[in-house]
């Protein structure tokens, strides 16, 4: 029973990380209509910025987190404004541009920091114990920060005029635009928010898991999977799906063996999508 | 390029609008004028180019040649939101609401997106009451019956205080008993906001009731202009409908 609870905590922790990644991914898709193949790149960048700030500059970890968020958000803003905006109406071009940007980011990181994983560990060690339930303090902090960030994103999206505009754009860009919503104002903001969240996740998670130039690949795959499962463009759907993915991955890894986690997940997602092709909370697409 | 003549403000001018996709020309040199506060019906069989025309005028599609002007300002090729800000607002054939938002939030969003004042909602109060939207004020759009969603979407367009309304089949999908709402809506838009209305519609009863003048499109060409009774008795118009008719044209009276 203790093992079951501890696995559940790990699953929730994973779910909160996937939520941060998936929220950004789904906002970009919903608002801009872009599948951002560079999403994993911003995760990796967040990790390396935090590593550089703490290991090379000697800054404290919380400050490094803020710099990681700020720098990934700023790069996201610049990328959207200077590059993506020019091809935003051409879906194939946006795929190529975001994919190309990911390759540029990964290669730049490789050239600057090398292929070896640097020594980057979470500043808090130790394990919290209650009876037979174990939960590392590092995971607890990650979970706390992720949950706080999720609450902040939800507040922004559901309680502010800016958020209402973003949700409206995500629900129906054509209608929002027809009513006068200025897409060019919202696009870079949404993109920067999403990449900042990816950077935050990278800065939080890479010291626990691993930091290397290629660790963005599975991040993209899991973000994509989560967002499709939740329903493309759906904020709540992405959140629900992220926690399902985290819990399934954790339990499958523990009870079926490490290699079965991803397999179980993909089979489950396939079954759900056969029953609900629009995802758990997605809506059927209407084209006007 | 001919010189732009002095024109009365807020009228909509379409001049030799054409649209090609690749080498295929789908819209041919269509011209018309919609005066401020005027009402122009647009009819034609499916595939005639009616929605393409609205897409070009609203800015969703760029015209391949010709131009569209609002008053003296050329607006073709400008972003849709830019034109909406100028008071040229379109509706959609299907429901056009933000389904996860309440009726109230939908209307407020429309006002904010167009950067208008929320006091416009007070002016809309009689219409909101008549359509039954007031009693559903806090309900999400997605749980409303189709007819109410449709009227909410149309009222959102009006909440932007448009000068020109482009209505793309506003009666589509409405029950016969609900179609009088469109009469009330168009009348209100003209009376309260002085809107010029371009009304694309298949419901010929509605067109006859509301429109003093219609244009007929067929195959992307303007084939007739005149009062509804005049054009609907013309042989080329009847042929266009009989040749291009399908099940969705069931409302058309020939």
């Amino acid at each position: 029973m203790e093992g079951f609870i501890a696995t559940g905590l790990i699953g929730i922790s994973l779910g909160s990380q996937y939520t941060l990644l998936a929220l950004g991914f789904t906002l970009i898709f919903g608002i801009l209509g872009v599948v951002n193949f560079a999403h994993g790149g911003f995760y990796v960048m967040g990790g390396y910025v935090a590593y550089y700030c703490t290991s090379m500059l000697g800054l404290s970890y919380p400050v490094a987190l803020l710099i990681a968020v700020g720098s990934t958000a700023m790069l996201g803003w610049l990328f959207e404004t200077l590059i993506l905006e020019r091809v935003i109406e051409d879906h194939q071009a946006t795929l190529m541009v975001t994919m190309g940007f990911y390759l540029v980011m990964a290669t730049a990181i490789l050239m600057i920091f090398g292929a070896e994983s640097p020594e980057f560990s979470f500043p808090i060690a130790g394990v919290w114990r209650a009876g037979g339930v174990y939960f590392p303090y590092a995971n607890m902090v990650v979970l706390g920060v992720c949950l706080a960030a999720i609450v902040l994103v939800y507040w922004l999206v559901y309680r502010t005029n800016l958020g209402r505009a973003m949700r409206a754009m995500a629900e129906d860009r054509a209608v929002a635009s027809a009513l006068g919503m200025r897409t060019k104002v919202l696009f870079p903001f949404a993109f920067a928010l999403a990449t900042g969240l990816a950077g935050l996740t990278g800065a939080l998670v890479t010291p626990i898991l691993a930091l290397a130039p290629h660790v963005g690949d599975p991040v993209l795959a899991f973000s994509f999977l989560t967002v499709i499962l939740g329903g493309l463009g759906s904020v709540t759907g992405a959140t629900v799906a992220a926690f399902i993915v985290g819990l399934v991955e954790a339990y499958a890894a523990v009870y079926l063996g490490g290699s079965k986690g991803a397999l179980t997940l993909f089979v489950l997602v396939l079954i759900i999508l056969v029953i609900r092709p629009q995802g758990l909370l997605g809506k059927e697409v209407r084209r006007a | 390029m001919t010189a732009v003549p002095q024109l009365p403000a807020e009228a909509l001018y379409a001049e030799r609008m054409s649209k090609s996709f690749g080498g295929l020309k789908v819209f041919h040199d269509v011209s018309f004028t919609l005066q401020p506060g005027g009402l122009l019906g647009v009819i034609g069989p499916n595939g005639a180019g009616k929605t393409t025309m609205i897409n070009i005028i609203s800015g969703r599609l760029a015209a391949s040649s010709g131009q569209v002007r609002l008053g003296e300002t050329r607006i073709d090729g400008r972003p849709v939101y830019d034109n909406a800000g100028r008071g040229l607002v379109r509706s959609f054939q299907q429901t056009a609401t933000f389904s996860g938002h309440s009726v109230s939030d939908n209307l407020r969003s429309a006002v904010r997106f167009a950067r208008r004042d929320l006091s416009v909602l007070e002016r809309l109060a009689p219409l909101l009451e008549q359509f039954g939207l007031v009693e559903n004020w806090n309900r999400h759009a997605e749980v409303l019956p189709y007819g109410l969603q449709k009227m909410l979407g149309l009222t959102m367009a009006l909440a932007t205080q448009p000068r020109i309304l482009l209505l793309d089949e506003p009666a589509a999908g409405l029950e016969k008993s609900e179609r009088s709402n469109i009469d009330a809506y168009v009348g209100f838009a003209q009376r309260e906001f002085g809107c010029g209305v371009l009304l694309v519609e298949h419901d010929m009863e509605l067109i006859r009731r509301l429109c003093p003048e219609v244009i007929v499109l067929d195959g992307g060409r303007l084939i007739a202009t005149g009062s509804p009774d005049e054009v609907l008795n013309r042989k080329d118009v009847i042929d266009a409908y009989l040749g291009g008719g399908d099940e969705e044209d069931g409302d058309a009276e020939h």
Side-chain angles (χ1 to χ4, degrees):
Chain A
M1 189 59 195
E2 286 89 351
F4 187 82
I5 294 170
T7 306
L9 285 173
I10 294 293
I12 289 170
S13 181
L14 277 174
S16 67
Q17 298 159 27
Y18 291 148
T19 301
L20 284 191
L21 292 166
L23 281 179
F25 199 81
T26 207
L27 282 174
I28 290 179
F29 179 81
I31 294 169
L32 286 83
V34 169
V35 175
N36 179 23
F37 278 94
H39 207 56
F42 289 95
Y43 168 91
V44 180
M45 179 181 161
Y48 272 98
V49 169
Y51 159 71
Y52 185 81
C53 289
T54 53
S55 304
M56 306 287 186
L57 302 180
L59 298 173
S60 69
Y61 184 64
V63 173
L65 275 185
L66 291 176
I67 293 174
V69 173
S71 57
T72 46
M74 192 181 295
L75 185 65
W77 184 290
L78 290 173
F79 171 64
E80 201 289 325
T81 311
L82 300 178
I83 300 172
L84 194 59
E85 191 65 48
R86 296 169 190 274
V87 294
I88 199 83
E89 298 299 333
D90 184 340
H91 292 304
Q92 287 168 335
T94 60
L95 290 181
M96 295 308 295
V97 163
T98 56
M99 205 178 285
F101 195 66
Y102 175 56
L103 292 176
V104 170
M105 289 178 85
T107 308
I109 288 168
L110 189 68
M111 287 169 68
I112 297 167
F113 294 99
E116 295 292 313
S117 291
E119 281 291 322
F120 184 36
S121 54
F122 206 82
I124 300 167
V127 175
W128 173 79
R129 238 187 296 184
V133 178
Y134 295 82
F135 194 50
Y137 286 127
N139 289 59
M140 206 179 282
V141 171
V142 168
L143 176 61
V145 174
C146 285
L147 290 179
I150 292 167
V151 169
L152 199 64
V153 171
Y154 265 73
W155 173 80
L156 178 75
V157 169
Y158 284 96
R159 288 281 179 262
T160 66
N161 287 340
L162 183 68
R164 286 188 193 98
M166 282 167 51
R167 279 192 297 137
M169 282 287 285
E171 275 197 28
D172 203 321
R173 263 196 305 163
V175 172
S177 194
L179 293 169
M181 179 68 232
R182 282 174 292 184
T183 53
K184 287 192 176 174
V185 175
L186 210 54
F187 282 179
F189 178 82
F191 206 88
L193 175 67
T195 54
L197 287 173
L200 172 67
T201 317
L204 278 171
V205 176
T206 52
I208 297 176
L209 297 178
L211 181 60
H214 64 271
V215 295
D217 299 355
V219 166
L220 172 67
F222 274 90
S223 300
F224 211 169
L225 177 98
T226 306
V227 167
I228 288 173
L229 178 62
L232 279 164
S234 167
V235 170
T236 317
T239 311
V240 171
F243 281 100
I244 290 175
V245 167
L247 286 166
V248 168
E249 193 186 357
Y251 281 115
V254 169
Y255 291 100
L256 301 175
S259 60
K260 307 285 197 314
L263 178 67
T264 309
L265 198 58
F266 279 100
V267 170
L268 183 76
V269 170
L270 273 177
I271 292 169
I272 291 174
L273 290 181
V274 166
I275 299 165
R276 276 188 69 84
Q278 70 271 40
L280 291 172
L281 296 179
K283 295 191 173 72
E284 289 179 45
V285 174
R286 171 172 70 73
R287 290 272 174 258
Chain B
M1 183 75 67
T2 54
V4 179
Q6 285 295 315
L7 300 164
E10 298 178 354
L12 177 70
Y13 299 91
E15 292 170 352
R16 299 180 66 85
M17 276 190 308
S18 295
K19 179 67 187 172
S20 300
F21 292 106
L24 182 66
K25 195 167 184 178
V26 296
F27 205 68
H28 304 260
D29 299 328
V30 173
S31 301
F32 64 85
T33 300
L34 174 59
Q35 296 297 342
L39 176 52
L40 180 65
V42 182
I43 61 172
N46 278 358
K50 303 184 296 295
T51 298
T52 301
M53 186 171 84
I54 285 191
N55 285 339
I56 294 172
I57 297 170
S58 64
R60 194 168 186 190
L61 281 178
S64 303
S65 63
Q67 60 175 271
V68 183
R69 284 178 292 128
L70 186 60
E72 294 183 2
T73 309
R74 188 166 173 181
I75 58 167
D76 54 286
R78 288 177 184 268
V80 173
Y81 57 83
D82 199 6
N83 287 333
R86 289 172 188 281
L88 182 97
V89 176
R90 67 166 294 174
S91 75
F92 293 85
Q93 284 180 27
Q94 303 93 333
T95 57
T97 63
F98 305 117
S99 54
H101 300 225
S102 67
V103 168
S104 161
D105 278 346
N106 267 285
L107 288 160
R108 286 166 193 273
S109 292
V111 175
R112 284 197 196 96
F113 290 173
R115 298 173 295 287
R116 307 288 191 249
D117 193 277
L118 282 169
S119 62
V120 68
L121 296 182
E122 289 166 25
R123 290 172 69 189
L124 288 170
L127 210 55
L128 295 168
E129 185 73 46
Q130 183 177 347
F131 295 159
L133 289 167
V134 172
E135 59 203 75
N136 291 289
W137 197 242
N138 294 315
R139 297 180 74 198
H140 278 196
E142 63 196 351
V143 302
L144 300 178
Y146 181 87
L148 262 187
Q149 287 189 40
K150 191 87 192 240
M151 296 321 296
L152 173 58
L154 289 169
T155 312
M156 285 161 64
L158 209 48
T160 66
Q161 293 178 260
R163 294 191 289 179
I164 299 286
L165 263 177
L166 311 173
L167 302 180
D168 194 357
E169 297 189 33
L174 295 184
E175 302 287 338
K176 282 275 183 196
S177 59
E178 294 173 319
R179 294 189 179 191
S180 61
N181 281 341
I182 303 299
D183 300 52
Y185 175 83
V186 171
F188 190 90
Q190 289 185 289
R191 217 171 38 248
E192 181 68 27
F193 293 93
C195 285
V197 180
L198 189 78
L199 176 62
V200 171
E201 191 48 69
H202 275 302
D203 182 340
M204 294 303 156
E205 281 179 32
L206 190 68
I207 287 285
R208 278 196 163 106
R209 279 202 306 273
L210 295 180
C211 302
E213 187 183 15
V214 296
I215 59 176
V216 187
L217 296 178
D218 183 37
R221 288 186 166 82
L222 197 159
I223 60 167
T225 305
S227 72
D229 286 332
E230 277 169 18
V231 298
L232 288 170
N233 286 318
R234 281 177 53 158
K235 186 176 181 309
D236 53 350
V237 175
I238 294 168
D239 287 347
Y241 269 95
L242 291 177
D246 59 24
E247 69 282 0
E248 286 187 47
D249 287 330
D251 287 328
E253 292 179 7
H254 304 303

